[in-house]
Short mmCIF file of all heavy atoms in Angstrom, two decimals:
data_model
loop_
_atom_site.label_atom_id
_atom_site.label_comp_id
_atom_site.label_asym_id
_atom_site.label_seq_id
_atom_site.Cartn_x
_atom_site.Cartn_y
_atom_site.Cartn_z
N LEU A 208 12.79 -17.17 -11.84
CA LEU A 208 12.87 -15.95 -12.64
C LEU A 208 14.14 -15.17 -12.30
O LEU A 208 14.87 -14.73 -13.18
CB LEU A 208 11.65 -15.05 -12.39
CG LEU A 208 10.31 -15.49 -12.99
CD1 LEU A 208 9.19 -14.55 -12.53
CD2 LEU A 208 10.39 -15.50 -14.52
N GLU A 327 0.35 -13.05 -30.97
CA GLU A 327 1.08 -13.48 -29.77
C GLU A 327 0.88 -12.47 -28.64
O GLU A 327 0.60 -12.86 -27.50
CB GLU A 327 2.58 -13.64 -30.11
CG GLU A 327 3.38 -14.23 -28.96
CD GLU A 327 4.88 -14.28 -29.24
OE1 GLU A 327 5.36 -13.51 -30.11
OE2 GLU A 327 5.57 -15.08 -28.57
N ILE A 330 -2.54 -12.83 -27.09
CA ILE A 330 -2.69 -14.00 -26.20
C ILE A 330 -1.98 -13.74 -24.87
O ILE A 330 -2.52 -14.05 -23.80
CB ILE A 330 -2.13 -15.27 -26.89
CG1 ILE A 330 -3.04 -15.63 -28.08
CG2 ILE A 330 -2.05 -16.43 -25.91
CD1 ILE A 330 -2.45 -16.68 -29.01
N ILE A 331 -0.80 -13.15 -24.94
CA ILE A 331 -0.07 -12.84 -23.70
C ILE A 331 -0.90 -11.89 -22.84
O ILE A 331 -1.07 -12.09 -21.63
CB ILE A 331 1.32 -12.23 -24.00
CG1 ILE A 331 2.19 -13.21 -24.77
CG2 ILE A 331 2.01 -11.81 -22.70
CD1 ILE A 331 3.48 -12.59 -25.31
N ALA A 332 -1.44 -10.83 -23.47
CA ALA A 332 -2.24 -9.85 -22.71
C ALA A 332 -3.47 -10.52 -22.11
O ALA A 332 -3.81 -10.28 -20.95
CB ALA A 332 -2.64 -8.69 -23.62
N PHE A 333 -4.13 -11.37 -22.90
CA PHE A 333 -5.31 -12.09 -22.40
C PHE A 333 -4.94 -12.89 -21.16
O PHE A 333 -5.63 -12.84 -20.12
CB PHE A 333 -5.88 -13.00 -23.49
CG PHE A 333 -6.92 -13.97 -22.98
CD1 PHE A 333 -8.23 -13.56 -22.79
CD2 PHE A 333 -6.57 -15.29 -22.67
CE1 PHE A 333 -9.19 -14.44 -22.30
CE2 PHE A 333 -7.53 -16.17 -22.17
CZ PHE A 333 -8.83 -15.75 -21.99
N ASN A 334 -3.85 -13.66 -21.24
CA ASN A 334 -3.45 -14.50 -20.10
C ASN A 334 -3.00 -13.67 -18.91
O ASN A 334 -3.25 -14.04 -17.75
CB ASN A 334 -2.35 -15.48 -20.53
CG ASN A 334 -2.91 -16.60 -21.40
OD1 ASN A 334 -3.96 -17.15 -21.11
ND2 ASN A 334 -2.21 -16.91 -22.48
N ALA A 335 -2.32 -12.56 -19.18
CA ALA A 335 -1.87 -11.69 -18.08
C ALA A 335 -3.08 -11.13 -17.33
O ALA A 335 -3.11 -11.10 -16.09
CB ALA A 335 -1.01 -10.55 -18.63
N VAL A 336 -4.08 -10.72 -18.08
CA VAL A 336 -5.29 -10.15 -17.50
C VAL A 336 -6.10 -11.23 -16.75
O VAL A 336 -6.69 -10.97 -15.70
CB VAL A 336 -6.10 -9.49 -18.64
CG1 VAL A 336 -7.54 -9.28 -18.29
CG2 VAL A 336 -5.43 -8.17 -19.04
N ALA A 338 -4.73 -13.84 -15.26
CA ALA A 338 -4.00 -14.08 -14.01
C ALA A 338 -4.32 -12.97 -13.01
O ALA A 338 -4.60 -13.24 -11.84
CB ALA A 338 -2.50 -14.14 -14.29
N LEU A 339 -4.31 -11.75 -13.49
CA LEU A 339 -4.57 -10.59 -12.63
C LEU A 339 -5.96 -10.70 -11.98
O LEU A 339 -6.11 -10.53 -10.77
CB LEU A 339 -4.44 -9.31 -13.46
CG LEU A 339 -4.52 -7.97 -12.72
CD1 LEU A 339 -3.74 -6.90 -13.48
CD2 LEU A 339 -5.95 -7.49 -12.50
N THR A 402 -1.48 -7.19 -9.69
CA THR A 402 -0.61 -6.81 -10.79
C THR A 402 0.63 -7.70 -10.84
O THR A 402 1.13 -8.03 -11.93
CB THR A 402 -0.22 -5.32 -10.68
OG1 THR A 402 -1.42 -4.54 -10.54
CG2 THR A 402 0.55 -4.85 -11.90
N MET A 403 1.13 -8.12 -9.67
CA MET A 403 2.26 -9.06 -9.61
C MET A 403 1.98 -10.31 -10.44
O MET A 403 2.87 -10.82 -11.12
CB MET A 403 2.53 -9.51 -8.16
CG MET A 403 3.20 -8.52 -7.26
SD MET A 403 4.83 -7.98 -7.77
CE MET A 403 5.79 -9.49 -7.66
N LEU A 404 0.74 -10.80 -10.38
CA LEU A 404 0.40 -12.02 -11.11
C LEU A 404 0.53 -11.82 -12.61
O LEU A 404 1.02 -12.71 -13.33
CB LEU A 404 -1.02 -12.48 -10.74
CG LEU A 404 -1.25 -12.76 -9.25
CD1 LEU A 404 -2.69 -13.17 -8.99
CD2 LEU A 404 -0.29 -13.86 -8.77
N ALA A 405 0.12 -10.65 -13.08
CA ALA A 405 0.22 -10.35 -14.51
C ALA A 405 1.69 -10.21 -14.93
O ALA A 405 2.12 -10.76 -15.95
CB ALA A 405 -0.55 -9.07 -14.85
N ILE A 406 2.46 -9.47 -14.14
CA ILE A 406 3.88 -9.24 -14.47
C ILE A 406 4.64 -10.57 -14.42
O ILE A 406 5.46 -10.87 -15.31
CB ILE A 406 4.50 -8.21 -13.50
CG1 ILE A 406 3.76 -6.86 -13.56
CG2 ILE A 406 6.00 -8.04 -13.76
CD1 ILE A 406 3.78 -6.16 -14.90
N ASN A 407 4.37 -11.37 -13.41
CA ASN A 407 5.06 -12.65 -13.31
C ASN A 407 4.67 -13.59 -14.45
O ASN A 407 5.50 -14.36 -14.94
CB ASN A 407 4.79 -13.32 -11.95
CG ASN A 407 5.54 -12.60 -10.83
OD1 ASN A 407 6.44 -11.80 -11.09
ND2 ASN A 407 5.16 -12.87 -9.60
N TYR A 408 3.43 -13.52 -14.88
CA TYR A 408 3.02 -14.33 -16.03
C TYR A 408 3.85 -13.93 -17.26
O TYR A 408 4.42 -14.78 -17.96
CB TYR A 408 1.52 -14.20 -16.34
CG TYR A 408 1.21 -14.81 -17.67
CD1 TYR A 408 1.11 -16.19 -17.81
CD2 TYR A 408 1.16 -14.02 -18.83
CE1 TYR A 408 0.94 -16.78 -19.05
CE2 TYR A 408 0.99 -14.60 -20.07
CZ TYR A 408 0.88 -15.98 -20.18
OH TYR A 408 0.74 -16.56 -21.41
N ILE A 409 3.93 -12.63 -17.52
CA ILE A 409 4.66 -12.16 -18.70
C ILE A 409 6.14 -12.52 -18.60
O ILE A 409 6.76 -12.99 -19.56
CB ILE A 409 4.47 -10.64 -18.91
CG1 ILE A 409 3.01 -10.33 -19.24
CG2 ILE A 409 5.39 -10.11 -20.02
CD1 ILE A 409 2.68 -8.83 -19.35
N ALA A 410 6.71 -12.35 -17.40
CA ALA A 410 8.14 -12.66 -17.22
C ALA A 410 8.40 -14.14 -17.49
O ALA A 410 9.40 -14.49 -18.15
CB ALA A 410 8.57 -12.28 -15.80
N THR A 411 7.54 -15.00 -17.01
CA THR A 411 7.70 -16.44 -17.23
C THR A 411 7.58 -16.77 -18.71
O THR A 411 8.35 -17.57 -19.25
CB THR A 411 6.63 -17.21 -16.41
OG1 THR A 411 6.73 -16.79 -15.06
CG2 THR A 411 6.85 -18.72 -16.51
N TYR A 412 6.61 -16.12 -19.37
CA TYR A 412 6.44 -16.33 -20.81
C TYR A 412 7.72 -15.93 -21.56
O TYR A 412 8.21 -16.66 -22.42
CB TYR A 412 5.24 -15.52 -21.33
CG TYR A 412 4.99 -15.75 -22.79
CD1 TYR A 412 4.07 -16.71 -23.22
CD2 TYR A 412 5.70 -15.04 -23.77
CE1 TYR A 412 3.86 -16.95 -24.57
CE2 TYR A 412 5.50 -15.26 -25.12
CZ TYR A 412 4.57 -16.21 -25.51
OH TYR A 412 4.39 -16.44 -26.85
N VAL A 413 8.25 -14.78 -21.21
CA VAL A 413 9.46 -14.27 -21.88
C VAL A 413 10.63 -15.23 -21.67
O VAL A 413 11.39 -15.53 -22.59
CB VAL A 413 9.78 -12.83 -21.39
CG1 VAL A 413 11.15 -12.38 -21.89
CG2 VAL A 413 8.69 -11.87 -21.83
N LEU A 414 10.74 -15.72 -20.44
CA LEU A 414 11.82 -16.68 -20.13
C LEU A 414 11.70 -17.94 -20.99
O LEU A 414 12.71 -18.50 -21.43
CB LEU A 414 11.75 -17.02 -18.64
CG LEU A 414 12.88 -17.87 -18.05
CD1 LEU A 414 14.22 -17.18 -18.23
CD2 LEU A 414 12.61 -18.12 -16.57
N ASN A 415 10.47 -18.37 -21.20
CA ASN A 415 10.23 -19.61 -21.96
C ASN A 415 10.20 -19.42 -23.46
O ASN A 415 10.04 -20.39 -24.22
CB ASN A 415 8.92 -20.26 -21.51
CG ASN A 415 9.00 -20.72 -20.06
OD1 ASN A 415 10.09 -21.04 -19.56
ND2 ASN A 415 7.87 -20.75 -19.39
N HIS A 416 10.31 -18.17 -23.92
CA HIS A 416 10.31 -17.90 -25.37
C HIS A 416 11.50 -17.02 -25.74
O HIS A 416 11.34 -15.86 -26.09
CB HIS A 416 8.99 -17.22 -25.80
CG HIS A 416 7.80 -18.12 -25.62
ND1 HIS A 416 7.21 -18.35 -24.40
CD2 HIS A 416 7.12 -18.86 -26.51
CE1 HIS A 416 6.20 -19.18 -24.56
NE2 HIS A 416 6.12 -19.52 -25.82
#
Side-chain angles (χ1 to χ4, degrees):
L208 287 174
E327 186 185 22
I330 292 168
I331 298 170
F333 169 81
N334 286 317
V336 160
L339 187 153
T402 308
M403 285 299 295
L404 301 179
I406 301 298
N407 287 346
Y408 168 78
I409 294 175
T411 306
Y412 183 94
V413 170
L414 187 59
N415 295 332
H416 294 78

